[in-house]
Amino acid sequence: MIYDIVLNFNKEFLDFFEWDKHDILIHVRKIPIFKIKNNINLKNVKKIVNINNKIINKTEIYSKIKKDNFTYSLLLCTEEKVVAYILDIKGNVIKYSDLIIPEEDEILENYNNYELINNEIITFNNISFLTRKQKNIKTRLLKCNDNFLKYLYMELYDEIPDNDYKKRLYLDKNNIEKMNNFLSLIQNKK
């Protein structure tokens, strides 16, 4: 068991530095923890099987949030990373949470003390490398019409859009702030 940590559960994994003031942080009193030997990316875990009987109702929180949400929750750690999960009854991952660095470091110092599980983990490779802000801007861009996107492209790159201009807009991480400012300016004029 790990005691007294702060978690921020979301449907997709968010690094702790992407947490924002609107997120609901959960102060966990205690939560089960297990280690994994093989070096998998914990952000890619999709399912954890044959574990529910070891974790059912073991998590306690300092909150009035409905405790049912944490019936099947746990921490998994490799030698380098710790991630928290909320599972459904079948072991499918419903939500993920990163940990803040001091709490993660403290847990990793005791890696050898945790129970080992390996065969219970099922992963997937569908990862997005976009931050929360980048995903938000991409969603906003997808809602824009073609004329607006062409105009935005010309403003950002000072060139006439070619056939792949949408792809460049959606994948451009360097101009994300400019796009955000431009979209906000347009939105405020409405």
Side-chain angles (χ1 to χ4, degrees):
M1 285 288 177
I2 293 298
Y3 298 91
D4 200 26
I5 61 172
V6 175
L7 299 173
N8 178 17
F9 284 106
N10 291 281
K11 289 185 180 181
E12 54 188 56
F13 183 86
L14 294 175
D15 289 302
F16 77 91
F17 55 82
E18 289 191 75
W19 296 2
D20 71 24
K21 63 184 177 184
H22 303 294
D23 290 338
I24 299 171
L25 301 181
I26 308 296
H27 191 175
V28 177
R29 181 178 290 150
K30 69 178 186 174
I31 186 168
I33 184 166
F34 301 91
K35 69 181 175 183
I36 302 171
K37 275 287 188 208
N38 52 352
N39 205 11
I40 66 169
N41 186 339
L42 294 176
K43 299 175 189 179
N44 295 349
V45 172
K46 180 179 182 180
K47 190 169 188 170
I48 306 171
V49 294
N50 302 326
I51 193 93
N52 283 356
N53 61 344
K54 294 180 181 182
I55 63 172
I56 188 168
N57 295 322
K58 299 273 169 92
T59 301
E60 294 179 12
I61 58 173
Y62 295 106
S63 173
K64 294 178 183 165
I65 294 176
K66 197 174 177 185
K67 303 260 192 280
D68 295 355
N69 296 344
F70 304 97
T71 303
Y72 302 105
S73 55
L74 74 152
L75 297 173
L76 285 182
C77 68
T78 63
E79 293 179 358
E80 299 165 357
K81 184 74 182 153
V82 182
V83 175
Y85 304 92
I86 296 176
L87 311 175
D88 65 15
I89 195 164
K90 295 179 181 177
N92 297 306
V93 175
I94 300 171
K95 293 186 177 183
Y96 303 82
S97 177
D98 198 7
L99 280 73
I100 59 175
I101 291 174
E103 293 176 352
E104 183 174 52
D105 287 346
E106 186 177 333
I107 290 168
L108 292 175
E109 285 176 11
N110 296 303
Y111 174 81
N112 291 326
N113 299 333
Y114 308 129
E115 182 181 340
L116 175 68
I117 62 170
N118 262 341
N119 300 331
E120 292 87 351
I121 309 300
I122 299 171
T123 62
F124 67 100
N125 292 324
N126 186 14
I127 302 185
S128 171
F129 293 103
L130 299 175
T131 64
R132 174 189 274 187
K133 188 174 192 176
Q134 291 168 332
K135 288 177 190 172
N136 182 4
I137 291 169
K138 183 175 179 181
T139 301
R140 290 167 61 194
L141 285 173
L142 289 170
K143 294 177 183 176
C144 295
N145 67 38
D146 283 343
N147 289 335
F148 176 80
L149 292 175
K150 286 178 183 176
Y151 178 71
L152 176 61
Y153 184 90
M154 288 189 288
E155 286 290 323
L156 290 174
Y157 306 109
D158 199 28
E159 60 186 59
I160 297 186
D162 58 7
N163 291 338
D164 291 332
Y165 78 96
K166 286 183 183 179
K167 187 176 187 179
R168 185 169 177 195
L169 276 175
Y170 297 149
L171 298 176
D172 186 354
K173 294 181 180 181
N174 297 325
N175 283 315
I176 208 75
E177 278 305 317
K178 288 180 187 175
M179 283 188 247
N180 187 43
N181 293 339
F182 195 84
L183 288 167
S184 296
L185 181 67
I186 298 301
Q187 195 172 28
N188 291 336
K189 286 187 176 184
K190 288 183 180 181

